[in-house]
Amino acid sequence: AGIIRTVVLLITLLGTWFIVQTYFERSWKTVNLRSWLGKQLPRHKCGNQKSCPQDHFAFKIISGAANVVGPSICFNDMILMSSVKNNIGRGLNIALVNGTSGQLLKVETFDMYSGEIKRGTIVLTASYDDAATKMNDKVRAHFEELGSSHVSKLGFRDNWVFLGAKGLRNKTPFEEHIKNDKETNKYDGWPELLEMEGCAPRK
């Protein structure tokens, strides 16, 4: 009887471990005493993994996934654009933010050449579905002026997230790009979504 109880207990423990690994995507290494006691880990702005220095803005930009899941843009712990806010669209989703105060200036799906952007303005961009087909050389040149290294290579259904600023002297470190490639795409005709987070210095 004792052996049977031990075997049942062992099977129960293995089953619990399997459920935790499969459905919660956690390993025993990440299950610590604090989580068992119900204590929450400190939350950083925009849900980022790390906090930002006081003179920086936290941001997180997530591109769309295929033509189904829309992108989202968070800046200084405020969701600026998302499907929930119903202010995103196919193409480029762009948020303009004051680089000194962090105040939101404009959110829209629009072409960069449609209006003047003031020096010091932070530009946050997330692609959705397809952003490149109707992007002409003039628009690409505007993004290059904002610090982009990848906009010139952006192609059909590529995913792209970007944070740049008007008046940057160098290329921005905040840019991610993944090519649409049928050999590596996560979805049938689209690559996987991109997620980028970081700390943008206050101007």
Side-chain angles (χ1 to χ4, degrees):
I3 294 174
I4 293 173
R5 285 196 192 105
T6 304
V7 170
V8 169
L9 180 61
L10 184 61
I11 291 171
T12 302
L13 288 174
L14 287 172
T16 303
W17 177 82
F18 177 77
I19 290 169
V20 169
Q21 286 285 86
T22 304
Y23 296 101
F24 295 98
E25 295 182 359
R26 300 173 71 177
S27 67
W28 285 110
K29 291 178 182 177
T30 63
V31 180
N32 56 31
L33 181 61
R34 183 175 292 180
S35 65
W36 282 110
L37 295 175
K39 292 183 179 178
Q40 295 286 335
L41 291 169
R43 183 193 174 278
H44 304 301
K45 288 183 177 180
C46 290
N48 290 359
Q49 293 181 11
K50 297 179 181 179
S51 62
C52 291
Q54 193 168 4
D55 59 342
H56 286 64
F57 296 112
F59 72 88
K60 181 181 281 187
I61 307 171
I62 304 173
S63 72
N67 61 349
V68 180
V69 180
S72 69
I73 296 175
C74 177
F75 187 82
N76 203 28
D77 221 23
M78 285 184 56
I79 300 295
L80 305 183
M81 301 186 81
S82 71
S83 298
V84 174
K85 294 183 76 74
N86 198 30
N87 63 351
I88 54 139
R90 189 172 78 173
L92 288 177
N93 294 271
I94 301 171
L96 304 181
V97 177
N98 183 294
T100 303
S101 67
Q103 179 183 0
L104 176 64
L105 302 174
K106 187 174 185 178
V107 293
E108 201 172 336
T109 304
F110 68 105
D111 293 327
M112 291 303 292
Y113 58 82
S114 63
E116 182 64 28
I117 299 175
K118 294 181 180 178
R119 188 176 182 84
T121 299
I122 296 174
V123 180
L124 301 95
T125 306
S127 66
Y128 179 35
D129 192 343
D130 175 51
T133 299
K134 294 187 178 179
M135 184 184 285
N136 61 31
D137 291 340
K138 189 174 181 181
V139 175
R140 292 176 194 267
H142 277 293
F143 275 108
E144 287 175 348
E145 289 172 8
L146 296 169
S148 174
S149 301
H150 295 271
V151 70
S152 62
K153 300 174 278 188
L154 200 64
F156 176 63
R157 288 185 178 174
D158 287 1
N159 266 349
W160 182 52
V161 290
F162 168 80
L163 184 147
K166 183 74 171 183
L168 275 185
R169 293 180 182 177
N170 301 308
K171 295 299 182 183
T172 179
F174 305 122
E175 185 173 25
E176 299 274 343
H177 173 220
I178 186 168
K179 294 293 292 179
N180 168 25
D181 184 342
K182 63 181 181 180
E183 300 297 326
T184 58
N185 281 348
K186 183 170 183 179
Y187 309 103
D188 186 30
W190 288 268
E192 62 185 307
L193 64 77
L194 284 172
E195 183 173 328
M196 178 177 67
E197 64 180 53
C199 304
R202 194 184 294 266
K203 300 298 177 186

